[in-house]
Structure formats: structure tokens, C-alpha cells
Amino acid sequence: MRLHVDLSAWMMLLPLVLLPLLLEADSSTRATTECPQKCVCFMMHVRCMFQKLSQMPRVPANTTVLDLRFNSITEVRPGTFRGLDKLHTLLLNDNHIRRLAAGAFEGAPNLRILYLYKNRIEQIAPGAFARLPRLEQLYLHHNHLREIRPGTFNDLPALERLFLHSNKLHRLPADAFVNVGPMTRLRLDSNALVCDCNLVWLVERTRDRPTEMAAICQSPHKMKGRSLTTMLPEDFHCS
């Protein structure tokens, strides 16, 4: 009888023991209902500028605009934005981010505007912008990008504006832009573009679709200084 009583008491206490552990395990990915410390929240806007933040804060699930500019954030962990279905504008410019992992922004399917300029981004994993079907504007200028890998911008059907200027890019592979939107504004200036046959696809695309583009060739020598907007596929002399 005593064993039965002790066992019953233990079963009643078990949820109380496990609950804190479950909450702690889930705390990195859950949205909260409270305004984060050091932030100002008003009308579903959360603003946390100039707070020396090194990590992403947990924000209310109904957040529509999240402003994290001018902090010391170094990474965007996959799952950080899980549950933020209403988020449409994310400002992460002027931080210390170096890499973007695959699935970095999953959980925010209604994101439309993403600011990532003036970080220290050197690498973007394919799939970093996966599951963002409504993304319209993506700002990646003034970073340290040397290459764009295949798959980087795939499946962004609403993308209208892409800024990649003031990086260290040499090439832009066509298979990084599969099922991408109209890209009516594309900035590639202030890079080190190699205008060879691997870039013909971009000239053909701008000919077929109206695009406001800034892109200046740096090599080979005979192409240096020429704007891609004035060139034809025949200018590349590709067989």
C-alpha cells in the first residue's frame, strides 16, 4: 500500500519536474508575448537599435517590424524566427554577421523586406533564404562576399529588388537564380565582375525583362569599364 501511495505521489510531481526542462529546451525558438529588455515595442513594431546586442532577442509572435540595426549580432541561427508569421520587415543591417546558414530565416513566411547591408558577411549557404515566398526586397550591399553559390537565391518568386553592390564578387552563376522573381532593380556595381561567357545569361535576362541594373565589368581587359546594360550577348563572342 505504501509503495502504491509513493508511486502515485511521484506521478503527480513528475509534470512539475519536467516542465521547467521543457520550457528551457524550447526557449531559443519560441516567440514570447512580452517586449524584450532594451527594446521599445509599439503597434507590433519592435525596435532594439544601439543596444550592443550580441544575440537575437525573443520577440512577440505578432511582431510585424523588427528593427535590430546597429548592434553586435554575429549570427542568425536557424529557428530564430520560428512562429513569427506576421513579420514583414526585418532590419539587421550594421551588425557583425559573418555567415548566413541554410534556413536562417525559416519561420517568417510573410517576410517582404530584409536588410542585411553593412555587416561582415563572407558566405551565404544555399537555402539561407528558403521558404520566403513573399520576399520582395533583399539588401546585401557593403559586405565581404566573394562568391554567390548555386542555389543562393532560388525559389524567391516575388523578389523585385536585390542589392549586391560594394562586395568582392567576381561571378554570378545562373543557377543561383532559379525560379526567382522579376528583379526589376539589380545592383552589382563596385564589385570585380569578370564579364565572360558565364555572365551572358544576365545580359539575356535583362534584354527579355525590363530591369534597372548597375553592373560594370572589371575584366577581361577588353571589357573593363563597360556596363552590362549596354552589352549584347554577341559582345561576349561565345560559341
Side-chain angles (χ1 to χ4, degrees):
M1 176 65 69
R2 181 173 181 176
L3 178 61
H4 177 73
V5 172
D6 290 346
L7 184 59
S8 299
W10 169 247
M11 293 300 293
M12 292 177 63
L13 290 173
L14 186 59
L16 298 177
V17 174
L18 292 178
L19 183 59
L21 298 176
L22 292 173
L23 291 175
E24 181 178 357
D26 195 40
S27 63
S28 62
T29 58
R30 278 190 307 112
T32 181
T33 58
E34 299 180 357
C35 187
Q37 290 185 350
K38 300 184 178 181
C39 299
V40 176
C41 300
F42 179 73
M43 296 292 290
M44 296 183 288
H45 290 202
V46 179
R47 304 197 180 277
C48 314
M49 305 95 73
F50 296 104
Q51 296 301 321
K52 299 181 180 180
L53 298 176
S54 59
Q55 296 181 344
M56 298 282 187
R58 290 172 55 202
V59 300
N62 64 349
T63 300
T64 58
V65 176
L66 178 54
D67 191 344
L68 294 165
R69 293 175 293 167
F70 303 103
N71 281 292
S72 301
I73 296 170
T74 58
E75 64 177 338
V76 181
R77 295 182 180 180
T80 297
F81 302 101
R82 190 174 300 161
L84 298 182
D85 296 340
K86 296 183 179 180
L87 185 67
H88 63 68
T89 302
L90 175 58
L91 299 95
L92 275 168
N93 52 285
D94 294 277
N95 275 281
H96 300 161
I97 300 168
R98 293 185 178 275
R99 295 175 180 82
L100 294 175
F105 302 97
E106 282 190 23
N110 291 306
L111 190 63
R112 296 177 184 271
I113 305 174
L114 177 54
Y115 295 92
L116 288 163
Y117 64 89
K118 289 188 178 179
N119 274 279
R120 302 172 184 177
I121 301 173
E122 299 174 349
Q123 296 179 5
I124 302 177
F129 306 110
R131 296 178 177 83
L132 297 178
R134 298 189 177 183
L135 188 65
E136 298 174 355
Q137 301 179 27
L138 178 55
Y139 300 95
L140 286 160
H141 50 293
H142 288 285
N143 277 291
H144 303 308
L145 291 169
R146 293 184 178 275
E147 68 170 343
I148 298 296
R149 297 165 62 185
T152 298
F153 302 113
N154 287 5
D155 300 316
L156 294 176
L159 190 63
E160 297 178 356
R161 185 176 300 183
L162 176 60
F163 283 11
L164 287 164
H165 56 284
S166 300
N167 277 284
K168 301 176 182 180
L169 296 173
H170 294 274
R171 303 183 186 280
L172 208 65
D175 52 4
F177 295 86
V178 177
N179 189 30
V180 74
M183 282 201 306
T184 52
R185 289 200 64 189
L186 175 62
R187 288 198 59 180
L188 295 166
D189 45 306
S190 298
N191 279 290
L193 291 180
V194 178
C195 294
D196 58 14
C197 295
N198 293 312
L199 211 55
V200 173
W201 73 270
L202 184 56
V203 174
E204 292 176 339
R205 178 188 171 95
T206 57
R207 182 182 61 180
D208 298 336
R209 306 181 187 183
T211 301
E212 182 181 337
M213 180 173 67
I216 304 297
C217 301
Q218 294 300 317
S219 64
H221 181 73
K222 63 181 180 180
M223 298 285 197
K224 187 173 182 178
R226 295 191 63 178
S227 171
L228 282 180
T229 59
T230 65
M231 298 175 68
L232 300 172
E234 295 77 20
D235 295 331
F236 292 83
H237 302 290
C238 301
S239 56

